[in-house]
Amino acid sequence: MLKNTNWKDYEILALEKGFKVERFGEVILKRPEPLAQNKKRTSIPVDSTFIDNHWSHPITSWTIQYKDLKFTLETGKFKHVGIFPEQADNWDFLRHCLRKIPNAKVLNLFGYTGAATIACAKESPQEIVHVDALKSTLETAQKNAQLNQVDDQFIRYINDDAIKFLEREARRERNYQGIVMDPPSFGRGPKGEMWKITEQLPTLIDLALDRLQVEGEFLVINTYSTNLSKYDVRKLLIEKLEEHNLPINVKSYDLSLPIKDSTDVLRAGQTVRWARQKHLL
Ligand SMILES: C[S@@+](CC[C@H](N)C(=O)[O-])C[C@H]1O[C@@H](n2cnc3c(N)ncnc32)[C@H](O)[C@@H]1O
C-alpha cells in the first residue's frame, strides 16, 4: 500500500459516520465517504459540507500546493473539488519516469482538471495530450497550467471520448512514450458515448498498448471501482502485455492517505503501473 505523507496543504482531519473531514489549505470541508461507516461523530468546525447533493456554503476558488505543484479548487456541482489528493504518488511516479525519458510524448486520458498533466509538464516533456469528456474540466486544467507557469504551448487539451480518441490516434499512427489513465466506473463521452469500466477496460488497455508498442516506456492505470480490484486490473494488463509482446514489468498498489492523530489510513483508489524498463518501477 502507498501512503502519501508528503502533503502539507492537505490532510484528513477525521472520519465520521459516512463522511470525511479534510483540510485543503485553510479550507475545511466535510464530504461523503462510504468507507467511513463505523466511526464516531467529531466536532471539528467546517467551512462547507456536501450533503443532499450540494455544498452548504459554496466556496468559489482557492489554491493549494503539493511540492512545487499548485492547484485551483472550488466547490462546484459535485463533491469533488478539483483534485484527488491520493494521486500525489502517481504524480511523483510520472515525474520520476519523465526525468529518465527525454523528449517524451505523454497522453493523459480522463485527465479531469489536469493534476497529472501539470506534474508531467513540470518535467518539460516534448508534448502532453490531455483528454477529457467534460469541457469545464479542460478549462480548469488550462487555469492550472497558467497557475503553475508551465508553458502550455506543448499541452494539447482535447474534448473527446477516451476510446474514440485512441482509435483516432491509431489511424494517425501517433505513438506515445507514456500514458496515464484514471477511468471512472461509469462515464459519458462528449457525444453521449457510454463508458462502463467493467465492459470497456480491456478495449481501453488494448488501444493504449497499441500506442505504446513501439516506443512506450510507462503506463499508469488508476481505478476507484469497487467491483474491480487491483488484481483484476493487473491480471488484465498482464494478459494484454503478453498479447502485445511487451515485457511483463508490472506493479500494483492500493493508494491511501493518513488520518491525523491516528495510525489508521483511508484507502483511496488502486493503481497498476507498467514500465518497459524494470528499474523505472
Ligand atoms: C476520476 S476523474 C479523473 C481524475 C484525474 N485523474 C485526477 O487525478 O485529477 C474521471 C474523469 O473522466 C472523465 N470522463 C468520463 N467519461 C469519459 C469518457 N468516455 N471519455 C473521456 N473522459 C471521460 C470525466 O469527465 C472526469 O473528468
Side-chain angles (χ1 to χ4, degrees), residues 84 87 110-112 115 132-134 137 160-162 182 184 187-189 195:
F84 290 77
Q87 289 302 318
F110 307 93
Y112 188 52
D132 199 281
L134 208 60
T137 63
D160 204 348
D161 173 69
D182 188 1
R188 291 259 180 203
W195 164 259

Side-chain angles (χ1 to χ4, degrees), residues 85-272:
E86 62 277 7
Q87 289 302 318
D89 278 303
N90 279 330
W91 310 331
D92 290 343
F93 174 71
L94 294 168
R95 296 183 71 169
H96 154 78
C97 291
L98 290 174
R99 276 180 209 136
K100 302 218 155 70
I101 306 165
N103 302 319
K105 286 189 196 155
V106 188
L107 174 60
N108 182 9
L109 293 168
F110 307 93
Y112 188 52
T113 53
T117 295
I118 303 306
C120 292
K122 283 281 187 188
E123 300 303 325
S124 306
Q126 194 184 103
E127 183 180 15
I128 305 167
V129 180
H130 173 111
V131 179
D132 199 281
L134 208 60
K135 253 195 183 144
S136 60
T137 63
L138 300 182
E139 285 156 18
T140 309
Q142 276 167 298
K143 267 193 221 163
N144 277 326
Q146 282 160 9
L147 183 66
N148 284 276
Q149 295 171 320
V150 286
D151 180 357
D152 54 358
Q153 283 182 24
F154 58 74
I155 307 175
R156 294 201 292 133
Y157 301 92
I158 310 231
N159 183 220
D160 204 348
D161 173 69
I163 293 222
K164 276 204 174 152
F165 179 75
L166 281 171
E167 287 169 347
R168 274 189 251 282
E169 291 296 74
R171 288 195 288 277
R172 293 185 280 244
E173 296 182 22
R174 278 177 52 95
N175 296 321
Y176 290 88
Q177 275 71 41
I179 299 184
V180 50
M181 50 166 90
D182 188 1
S185 303
F186 299 96
R188 291 259 180 203
K191 296 198 174 119
E193 301 93 337
M194 181 74 103
W195 164 259
K196 196 172 173 193
I197 197 166
T198 48
E199 288 177 13
Q200 284 153 297
L201 191 60
T203 307
L204 185 73
I205 293 178
D206 242 341
L207 291 168
L209 290 182
D210 287 347
R211 306 285 34 91
L212 293 171
Q213 182 84 57
V214 183
E215 37 192 333
E217 294 290 345
F218 65 88
L219 171 66
V220 178
I221 307 172
N222 189 77
T223 59
Y224 289 94
S225 305
T226 45
N227 51 1
L228 201 69
S229 75
K230 66 175 187 289
Y231 304 108
D232 297 329
V233 179
R234 184 192 166 93
K235 185 167 170 275
L236 182 60
L237 176 60
I238 289 174
E239 277 169 28
K240 297 291 178 190
L241 286 166
E242 281 168 352
E243 284 171 29
H244 281 78
N245 267 323
L246 284 164
I248 316 292
N249 299 326
V250 176
K251 282 201 176 166
S252 52
Y253 305 94
D254 286 308
L255 300 180
S256 73
L257 290 162
I259 299 165
K260 194 180 181 189
D261 299 331
S262 158
T263 52
D264 288 351
V265 294
L266 180 68
R267 278 171 188 253
Q270 44 208 4
T271 282
V272 181

Side-chain angles (χ1 to χ4, degrees), residues 13 21-22 28-30 42-49 56-57:
L13 299 177
V21 180
E22 303 160 284
I28 298 181
L29 300 178
K30 189 167 157 182
T42 66
S43 52
I44 300 168
V46 302
D47 296 297
S48 192
T49 302
S56 59
H57 299 85

